[in-house]
């Protein structure tokens, strides 16, 4: 099973960026930890990070032909991007939204996700473990 793991803007700054909220692990740490878990579970993962909305839209479009599922942390675009929402809606593969932080307990503007309603579901507030939880959801969902 091939899974695209897409991380949005500023996720390349993990480890340095607001560590009290996002933790001290870097994006490379995230990718190696999640990569190892995926391998154990027999998932073939491809990581993609971009600060550019259109590139994320293109990657979601590519997922339709080249992946069985997507795990996405759209980061700040969660709260603003109709284009990413439409791209998720346009593809047939299941998409799980993940956030490291609990966006519902933060500033008001983070309470709205434009993307979650078109995803299979949203996981937030569990740090890196959220990506592993998304694997569990996809495993169950895709094996149905
Ligand atoms: C985030 C939450 C977003 O509100 C924020 O803009 C991010 C990271 C998270 O993983 O908690 O960049 O998606």
């Amino acid at each position: 099973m091939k899974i695209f793991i897409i991380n949005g803007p500023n996720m390349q700054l993990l480890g340095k960026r607001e560590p009290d909220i996002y933790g001290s692990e870097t994006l490379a740490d995230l990718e190696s930890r999640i990569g190892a878990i995926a391998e154990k579970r027999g998932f073939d993962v491809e990581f993609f990070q971009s600060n550019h909305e259109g590139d994320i839209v293109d990657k979601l479009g590519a997922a339709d032909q080249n992946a069985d599922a997507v795990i996405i942390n759209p980061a700040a675009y969660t709260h603003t991007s109709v284009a990413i929402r439409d791209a998720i809606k346009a593809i047939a593969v299941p998409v799980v939204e993940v956030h490291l932080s609990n966006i519902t307990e933060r500033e008001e503007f983070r309470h709205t996700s434009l993307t979650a309603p078109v995803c299979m579901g949203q996981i937030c507030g569990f740090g890196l473990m959220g990506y592993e939880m998304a694997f569990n959801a996809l495993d169950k969902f895709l094996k149905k």
Side-chain angles (χ1 to χ4, degrees):
M1 195 191 306
K2 175 92 180 180
I3 302 181
F4 282 4
I5 302 188
I6 301 175
N7 281 297
N10 300 309
M11 296 296 286
Q12 83 283 7
L13 299 175
L14 278 185
K16 285 189 275 208
R17 172 191 187 207
E18 301 180 88
D20 48 318
I21 296 174
Y22 299 117
S24 56
E25 286 182 288
T26 64
L27 183 63
D29 293 335
L30 180 156
E31 293 185 351
S32 78
R33 209 166 114 182
I34 300 305
I37 293 167
E39 201 181 313
K40 253 194 234 153
R41 300 184 64 146
F43 294 134
D44 177 14
V45 289
E46 182 179 321
F47 293 101
F48 178 81
Q49 188 275 328
S50 178
N51 295 326
H52 306 283
E53 190 175 22
D55 291 343
I56 296 170
V57 168
D58 287 345
K59 195 67 187 175
L60 284 162
D64 215 17
Q65 297 299 319
N66 303 302
D68 300 300
V70 174
I71 297 172
I72 187 166
N73 182 344
Y77 286 138
T78 306
H79 319 297
T80 62
S81 180
V82 175
I84 291 175
R85 177 193 168 109
D86 287 351
I88 294 170
K89 192 92 203 278
I91 61 174
V93 295
V95 179
V96 179
E97 178 169 314
V98 171
H99 298 282
L100 298 170
S101 64
N102 181 355
I103 55 174
T104 66
E105 68 169 17
R106 299 182 61 196
E107 303 95 321
E108 192 85 31
F109 67 86
R110 293 185 207 276
H111 296 182
T112 303
S113 170
L114 297 188
T115 44
V118 293
C119 289
M120 198 178 132
Q122 182 201 63
I123 298 161
C124 76
F126 297 100
L128 295 194
M129 199 204 294
Y131 293 81
E132 196 181 342
M133 293 163 88
F135 284 149
N136 290 339
L138 286 171
D139 210 11
K140 187 143 197 254
F141 180 81
L142 293 175
K143 281 183 183 161
K144 258 196 219 159

